[in-house]
């Protein structure tokens, strides 16, 4: 779950595409087929030979944010482009974090999303710090924010481990996954969190499920049925519910689809989480 976002593990050769008429006669459009970067270190070049990650469409449907890592320095940077491929601009830059583990020396930026106020929230390892449960150093990456032109870059979260996959819920808050050990056992620790767009009031607002250790085996209390992790959380329109991907501890961010309903009272038996697929 950390290594899949560390760009020294990338497989190169991806792209940014739009699938049109997917219900009838699907057409795949390469957004960047004729695009050259207009601003930043890669100005004048096309984004080929690298790896793409986490595109996000603006609220008006006219612009796309995405992360891209070149095959040379293997470091994710955030870009912005119009849906027709024009105005391709680099917004962030930095150095690879594979061999540079000093605080504030890492600049991998990914998972960008638009906020309703026009700012951009993204995940970055700029805050410094390292995960505690790895055989080699893994930088900590958390929520950051910037203006649409890449300026006024600030850290929204100084959480000690890792955060992933921000999105905007129906109340205008940021919803995301946080790796958090407080009042939890050693594995069931990666679940839904929310905060205000400026990072205030981060909280886990569903299903804490702390000790006893029966959580691990699932004996007696039913807590073992809950996912170890909830990734890719998105708000379901016209409701307080979320859809997410259930996954494991130290695993990848794929698995079964679940629905999370924080309005249901936490009964200690995973009542707030409903599985809707079985893979």
């Amino acid at each position: 779950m950390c290594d899949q976002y560390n760009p020294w593990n990338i497989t190169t050769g991806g792209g940014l595409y739009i699938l049109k008429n997917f219900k009838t006669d699907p057409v795949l459009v390469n957004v960047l087929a004729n695009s050259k970067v207009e601003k930043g270190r890669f100005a004048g070049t096309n984004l080929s030979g690298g790896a793409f990650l986490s595109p996000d469409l603006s609220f008006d449907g006219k612009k796309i944010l995405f992360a891209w890592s070149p095959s040379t320095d293997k470091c994710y940077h955030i870009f912005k482009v119009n849906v027709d491929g024009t105005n391709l601009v680099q917004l962030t830059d930095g150095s690879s974090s594979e061999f540079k583990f000093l605080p504030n020396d890492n600049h991998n930026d990914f998972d960008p999303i638009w906020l309703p106020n026009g700012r951009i929230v993204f995940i970055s390892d700029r805050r410094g710090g390292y995960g505690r449960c790895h055989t080699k150093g893994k930088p900590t990456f958390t929520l950051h924010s910037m203006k649409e032109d890449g300026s006024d870059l600030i850290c929204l979260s100084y959480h000690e481990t890792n955060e992933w996959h921000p999105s905007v819920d129906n109340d205008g808050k940021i919803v995301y996954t946080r790796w958090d050990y407080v009042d939890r056992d050693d594995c069931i620790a990666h679940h839904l969190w929310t905060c205000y767009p400026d990072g205030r009031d981060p909280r886990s607002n569903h299903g804490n499920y702390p000790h006893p250790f029966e959580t691990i085996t699932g004996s007696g209390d039913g807590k073992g049925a809950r996912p170890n992790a909830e990734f890719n959380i998105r708000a379901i329109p016209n409701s307080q519910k979320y859809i997410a991907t259930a996954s494991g501890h130290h695993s990848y961010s794929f698995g079964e689809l679940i629905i999370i309903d924080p309005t249901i009272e936490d009964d200690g038996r995973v009542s707030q989480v409903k599985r809707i697929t079985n893979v």
Side-chain angles (χ1 to χ4, degrees), residues 26-41:
V27 177
L28 195 62
V29 177
N30 185 350
V31 176
L32 304 178
N34 301 306
S35 304
K36 291 187 181 297
V37 181
E38 298 179 7
K39 176 185 176 182
R41 178 158 57 98

Side-chain angles (χ1 to χ4, degrees), residues 23-264:
K23 291 184 178 181
T24 55
D25 186 20
V27 177
L28 195 62
V29 177
N30 185 350
V31 176
L32 304 178
N34 301 306
S35 304
K36 291 187 181 297
V37 181
E38 298 179 7
K39 176 185 176 182
R41 178 158 57 98
F42 297 93
T45 65
N46 56 34
L47 301 184
S48 60
F52 291 80
L53 186 67
S54 55
D56 187 65
L57 188 65
S58 62
F59 291 100
D60 60 8
K62 296 180 179 181
K63 293 173 287 188
I64 303 170
L65 293 170
F66 64 95
W68 177 77
S69 172
S71 58
T72 51
D73 58 20
K74 294 186 177 180
C75 183
Y76 281 118
H77 316 300
I78 293 176
F79 292 79
K80 178 180 65 174
V81 67
N82 294 334
V83 293
D84 62 1
T86 60
N87 195 28
L88 175 59
V89 177
Q90 182 179 355
L91 300 181
T92 68
D93 204 352
S95 57
S96 173
S97 58
E98 183 176 9
F99 302 112
K100 297 182 178 180
F101 291 130
L102 297 176
N104 301 318
D105 195 33
N106 305 326
H107 293 83
N108 282 293
D109 307 314
F110 56 94
D111 278 359
I113 63 161
W114 301 92
L115 290 179
N117 64 9
R119 289 184 67 89
I120 295 168
V121 166
F122 59 101
I123 298 296
S124 178
D125 56 9
R126 293 171 180 265
R127 68 169 292 284
Y130 316 95
R132 293 184 286 171
C133 297
H134 308 289
T135 56
K136 64 177 182 178
K138 299 290 193 303
T140 294
F141 34 79
T142 62
L143 293 173
H144 287 65
S145 172
M146 63 181 170
K147 291 183 178 179
E148 185 180 347
D149 61 2
S151 65
D152 191 32
L153 197 156
I154 59 175
C155 181
L156 298 184
S157 172
Y158 287 89
H159 181 62
E160 64 160 334
T161 53
N162 291 87
E163 295 168 339
W164 297 275
H165 310 147
S167 64
V168 178
D169 73 5
N170 296 326
D171 295 324
K173 291 185 176 181
I174 302 171
V175 56
Y176 58 101
T177 298
R178 172 182 281 192
W179 180 357
D180 175 57
Y181 285 120
V182 179
D183 290 336
R184 293 161 177 81
D185 65 39
D186 64 336
C187 295
I188 303 178
H190 319 274
H191 298 100
L192 182 153
W193 282 70
T194 61
C195 69
Y196 287 100
D198 59 3
R200 287 181 297 119
D201 196 26
R203 62 177 60 202
S204 175
N205 60 352
H206 99 91
N208 193 31
Y209 305 113
H211 289 301
F213 277 115
E214 282 83 357
T215 305
I216 296 178
T217 62
S219 61
D221 60 10
K223 298 175 186 175
R226 83 164 299 174
N228 285 353
E230 297 160 351
F231 291 126
N232 300 299
I233 303 166
R234 296 292 184 271
I236 297 175
N238 303 314
S239 77
Q240 295 297 309
K241 300 177 182 179
Y242 302 92
I243 192 166
T245 302
S247 188
H249 180 60
H250 289 310
S251 184
Y252 296 95
S253 60
F254 57 77
E256 302 181 26
L257 290 179
I258 57 173
I259 291 178
I260 303 167
D261 187 352
T263 66
I264 297 175

